[in-house]
Amino acid sequence: MSEAFDCAKCSESLYGRKYIQTDNGPYCVPCYDSTFANTCAECQQLIGHDSRELFYEDRHFHEGCFRCCRCQRSLADEPFTCQDSELLCNDCYCSAFSSQCSACGETVMPGSRKLEYGGQTWHEHCFLCSGCEQPLGSRSFVPDKGAHYCVPCYENKFAPRCARCSKTLTQGGVTYRDQPWHRECLVCTGCQTPLAGQQFTSRDDDPYCVACFGELFAPKCSSCKRPITGLGGGKYVSFEDRHWHHSCFSCAHCSTSLVGQGFVPDGDQVLCQGCSQAGP
């Protein structure tokens, strides 16, 4: 009489049948699968002993069930990403969750070098200066109406230029005759003294400080011989080819101010009417 050789679970004879040996004894195939096989997380069917089983984060899958949840591509031998418990191939993940480059329109792949500004994303090599078309990288840039410029290109294209040296004004500056000037470029034509913040005048469009203008161009007071510039509200009196400061226009004898009064010229002098009538 032959020795019993039965399934450890259902006790049916295993003679002439396929079985699987375990530490607990032999199992017929149906009993082995029902006892030890994992359930596929996708189709909820048992994963038989003769099926290729794939495992990911405590979940088990038939090889044919391990697919991208969007395009149904098999992920058995493909890189993939899990998003909210859903398995996605790289193409579907990038299409759904990665940014699009604002320059080339292609997907900015996860982990690749990128730049973000104003809610937009660029590949690092696509973020270029709109002027010289060189990558901006980590350099400073200036946005302007949807374009982006490196600082030198922006200054060359948009920054005002000094009327004297023609170089760009990046900060500060002064305006003279409706034109921009570097503060250090606006100097007196005569003595080269800086004029920014100072009172000055011009001759033939050239700026002069008050002192140089007076010495070079202003008429001289017939009394004190100092220049009459008329700047700062200074008033003066002219008679024929002679000129006087208001404060200097007085009678040569009695020193009475002649501003607004009648006077009598007497050679190089002017006299009030009283002194003129009194004689020498």
Side-chain angles (χ1 to χ4, degrees):
M1 187 174 182
S2 61
E3 182 180 354
F5 185 55
D6 301 331
C7 173
K9 183 175 183 180
C10 68
S11 299
E12 291 187 7
S13 175
L14 297 176
Y15 283 112
R17 299 175 61 189
K18 186 176 180 180
Y19 68 93
I20 299 172
Q21 184 66 44
T22 73
D23 292 340
N24 296 325
Y27 284 79
C28 65
V29 170
C31 286
Y32 179 85
D33 286 346
S34 64
T35 302
F36 299 106
N38 294 305
T39 300
C40 176
E42 178 67 21
C43 70
Q44 302 303 312
Q45 300 298 314
L46 291 176
I47 304 173
H49 70 283
D50 56 351
S51 299
R52 183 184 178 190
E53 181 178 347
L54 300 175
F55 175 79
Y56 177 73
E57 290 188 350
D58 297 327
R59 291 184 290 168
H60 302 264
F61 300 85
H62 291 106
E63 180 180 11
C65 293
F66 195 61
R67 302 185 301 266
C68 172
C69 69
R70 299 205 175 199
C71 69
Q72 301 304 307
R73 178 194 302 178
S74 173
L75 301 177
D77 299 304
E78 297 283 342
F80 65 92
T81 303
C82 184
Q83 182 74 20
D84 297 331
S85 299
E86 292 185 333
L87 301 178
L88 299 166
C89 65
N90 272 2
D91 289 344
C92 288
Y93 176 81
C94 292
S95 177
F97 300 103
S98 296
S99 302
Q100 304 299 117
C101 176
S102 296
C104 70
E106 299 294 328
T107 299
V108 180
M109 297 295 291
S112 63
R113 296 178 68 87
K114 64 181 180 179
L115 290 164
E116 296 179 321
Y117 175 75
Q120 294 179 291
T121 305
W122 291 262
H123 295 110
E124 184 179 46
H125 59 273
C126 289
F127 192 55
L128 308 177
C129 170
S130 299
C132 62
E133 297 185 349
Q134 295 300 307
L136 290 171
S138 59
R139 293 189 295 162
S140 297
F141 66 91
V142 182
D144 184 78
K145 298 178 181 178
H148 304 88
Y149 296 89
C150 64
V151 173
C153 283
Y154 182 83
E155 291 178 353
N156 287 334
K157 187 175 181 67
F158 299 107
R161 293 183 177 274
C162 176
R164 181 178 185 185
C165 70
S166 298
K167 295 181 180 179
T168 57
L169 281 80
T170 57
Q171 59 182 358
V174 293
T175 300
Y176 169 61
R177 291 191 176 275
D178 296 324
Q179 292 181 306
W181 296 61
H182 291 112
R183 295 180 67 87
E184 60 272 20
C185 287
L186 185 62
V187 296
C188 173
T189 305
C191 65
Q192 303 301 304
T193 298
L195 298 177
Q198 306 297 320
Q199 188 179 49
F200 67 93
T201 187
S202 63
R203 174 86 172 204
D204 298 329
D205 292 337
D206 294 324
Y208 289 88
C209 67
V210 174
C212 285
F213 183 84
E215 289 298 324
L216 295 172
F217 307 111
K220 303 300 188 293
C221 177
S222 295
S223 177
C224 70
K225 309 305 180 184
R226 292 195 299 270
I228 300 174
T229 64
L231 297 175
K235 296 181 180 181
Y236 61 96
V237 175
S238 295
F239 175 71
E240 295 180 346
D241 58 349
R242 291 184 289 171
H243 312 276
W244 294 265
H245 295 106
H246 261 207
S247 58
C248 295
F249 191 53
S250 56
C251 175
H253 288 176
C254 68
S255 300
T256 298
S257 175
L258 298 177
V259 177
Q261 306 296 321
F263 64 92
V264 177
D266 183 22
D268 293 336
Q269 299 177 337
V270 287
L271 303 174
C272 66
Q273 292 181 346
C275 291
S276 173
Q277 294 173 357

